[in-house]
Amino acid sequence: MMIVMTMAALAMVSAAPERIGQPMLDGKPLPFSEAVRVGDMLYLSGQIGRTPDGKLPAGIEAQARQTMDNIGATLAKAGAGWNDVVKCTVMLDDMKDWPAFNAVYATYFKDKKFPARSAFDADGLVLGALVEVECFAVVRKGN
């Protein structure tokens, strides 16, 4: 049996993971990275809407906006932006918040080129958050 790998697949296999950002909680590091880049793929950990002072704002709109801002900050650390995002997974504490989340989410994709996406009802998100979002992005070297 002959296995043929594309150059992109070969680069992915041979690329060492680059870990980006160390999340903290109450001044202590958490046991995961904000994102990991392998080759051209960037895998972002789930983000919630914690503000820089560690608090969750009230309401789904405010938490959705802060969540997306947090994702944007992680993308920027990796030299990426919203146009590089290819897939998001959204976890909502209550699916009735789906329309309100969508209204905020859509504003982050100015050209309306939305990534693929899934949304799930997730009871009991970390720290009592109303929403958590994880994303994948494609970031070419030199971006």
Side-chain angles (χ1 to χ4, degrees):
M1 176 196 282
M2 187 164 138
I3 298 175
V4 177
M5 294 184 80
T6 65
M7 292 302 288
L10 189 57
M12 177 88 110
V13 171
S14 64
E18 173 190 354
R19 285 156 181 81
I20 300 164
Q22 175 67 62
M24 306 286 277
L25 180 62
D26 299 328
K28 296 178 183 152
L30 294 170
F32 54 92
S33 298
E34 287 179 41
V36 175
R37 183 175 181 163
V38 180
D40 289 345
M41 285 302 303
L42 180 66
Y43 303 91
L44 284 78
S45 292
Q47 289 274 358
I48 60 173
R50 283 187 8 181
T51 58
D53 65 1
K55 296 185 177 8
L56 284 169
I60 186 63
E61 290 89 356
Q63 284 193 32
R65 189 165 292 103
Q66 187 64 51
T67 297
M68 298 301 284
D69 288 348
N70 293 346
I71 291 167
T74 300
L75 287 167
K77 284 180 189 177
W82 288 106
N83 284 338
D84 300 310
V85 176
V86 296
K87 172 70 167 82
C88 291
T89 302
V90 178
M91 293 150 276
L92 293 163
D93 185 58
D94 190 333
M95 284 304 287
K96 75 176 187 208
D97 290 332
W98 191 65
F101 173 80
N102 282 337
V104 172
Y105 175 89
T107 66
Y108 286 80
F109 300 92
K110 304 293 186 218
D111 61 2
K112 304 302 179 203
K113 292 181 181 175
F114 300 110
R117 195 181 91 180
S118 302
F120 299 96
D121 183 14
D123 186 32
L125 293 172
V126 68
L127 303 177
L130 300 177
V131 61
E132 181 171 347
V133 179
E134 71 171 9
C135 300
F136 302 153
V138 176
V139 184
R140 305 271 187 266
K141 294 290 181 186
N143 266 9

